[in-house]
Structure formats: C-alpha cells, structure tokens
Amino acid sequence: MIRRTTPRQKAGWVLFILYLCLLAYFMFFSESFGRTEADREYAYNLVLFKEISRYFRHYDVLGFSLFMINIVGNIAAFIPFGFFLPIISRRSRLWYNTVMFGFIWSLTLETLQLIFKVGSFDVDDMFLNTLGAAAGFYIHGAAHYIRILIRYRRWKQ
C-alpha cells in the first residue's frame, strides 16, 4: 500500500528541517554560546541532576539569563522536535516513539558536542531535551484536539 505525503506533512518536513538547521547552528556554531572558542578541552557531566540542581541552588549567583538559557532553553529547544515529529512520521504518533526519538537525537547531538569539543556532553541536557520533546508531543496533541473540535463545531452549524 502506497501512502501519499499530505500537504500538511510536506509543510511539516520543511519546518522540521529548518528547525534542525537552526538547532545545529546554536549547538555547534553560535558565537554567543561560545561555540567557536579554540583549544577547548573535553567537557562532560555524567551525573544526572548535577547541573540542574546547581542552577537551582546558585540561581542568585548565576542569574536569570543563565538559568533561562540552560534549564528553560534546553527544554524549549526540543519542543519543536516533539511537535513536528508526529506530523511528519506516522510512527511518532505514539508518545513513547517521539520521546525515544527525542532522547536518541539529544544523545547524538551531545556526543557530537563532546567529539568536536563544542559545548559539553551533559546527561542533564539530555534529560531536559527529552522532556522538551515530550512537551512538544503533548502540545501537538492539544493542537490536534482543538483543530478537531473547531472542525466539529463548524460541521454542526
């Protein structure tokens, strides 16, 4: 059985690819995140919740902007991943597939950061990114539900 790509899926693919390009830029090339510094050492954190708890414990010293970039930014960065994946992939219409793909993609990006010595390999980032992918999936589900309600109300009138 041949399945055709719908216009919604095509638009989803375009937006998903643009999102991935933007994500790659910020993770590997952005000067504002210190990604172009030369002579960096390997940096990694393998202890879950170590950096997250440090950001909460030392919020007064680190400040609002660093807190937002690290904690909220890592979640927000993967919300589009979880939002667009169910649009472009039938497999990702199941929450656990989207969450698993989000985790695998985050692991891949964190590993590339370690290999190329840009940023750091951080299990806390992987946790937050996966949480963002899950949030994006549920936002997609809510948007889909609202779209169905609107269509039903129009049909009923």
Side-chain angles (χ1 to χ4, degrees), residues 127-146:
F127 172 77
L128 294 170
N129 294 160
T130 305
L131 193 62
F137 176 84
Y138 285 107
I139 291 168
H140 171 268
H144 183 69
Y145 180 74
I146 290 168

Side-chain angles (χ1 to χ4, degrees), residues 90-151:
R90 286 172 176 46
R91 286 185 189 154
S92 295
R93 292 184 184 156
L94 301 170
W95 71 268
Y96 50 85
N97 284 343
T98 298
V99 171
M100 179 188 64
F101 290 145
F103 173 78
I104 290 169
W105 187 244
S106 179
L107 174 62
T108 302
L109 292 175
E110 292 292 324
T111 302
L112 288 171
Q113 280 186 320
L114 181 68
I115 291 169
F116 294 116
K117 297 181 184 177
V118 291
S120 64
F121 181 95
D122 191 346
V123 294
D124 289 346
D125 288 353
M126 289 171 35
F127 172 77
L128 294 170
N129 294 160
T130 305
L131 193 62
F137 176 84
Y138 285 107
I139 291 168
H140 171 268
H144 183 69
Y145 180 74
I146 290 168
R147 198 179 90 211
I148 290 171
L149 278 178
I150 291 170
R151 188 181 301 159

Side-chain angles (χ1 to χ4, degrees), residues 25-95:
Y25 170 76
F26 282 113
M27 289 193 74
F28 298 104
F29 305 110
S30 175
E31 291 178 11
S32 61
F33 289 116
R35 304 297 193 212
T36 58
E37 294 175 15
D39 300 327
R40 289 203 43 162
E41 295 294 318
Y42 289 109
Y44 55 89
N45 166 37
L46 302 176
V47 179
L48 189 59
F49 301 121
K50 178 181 177 182
E51 288 297 312
I52 292 171
S53 64
R54 185 174 72 87
Y55 273 88
F56 277 101
R57 241 187 353 261
H58 301 295
Y59 175 83
D60 55 331
V61 176
L62 295 170
F64 179 75
S65 61
L66 276 177
F67 178 85
M68 290 299 286
I69 287 170
N70 195 330
I71 304 298
V72 178
N74 275 307
I75 294 170
F78 269 68
I79 288 175
F81 188 91
F83 184 86
F84 288 119
L85 218 53
I87 295 171
I88 64 174
S89 168
R90 286 172 176 46
R91 286 185 189 154
S92 295
R93 292 184 184 156
L94 301 170
W95 71 268

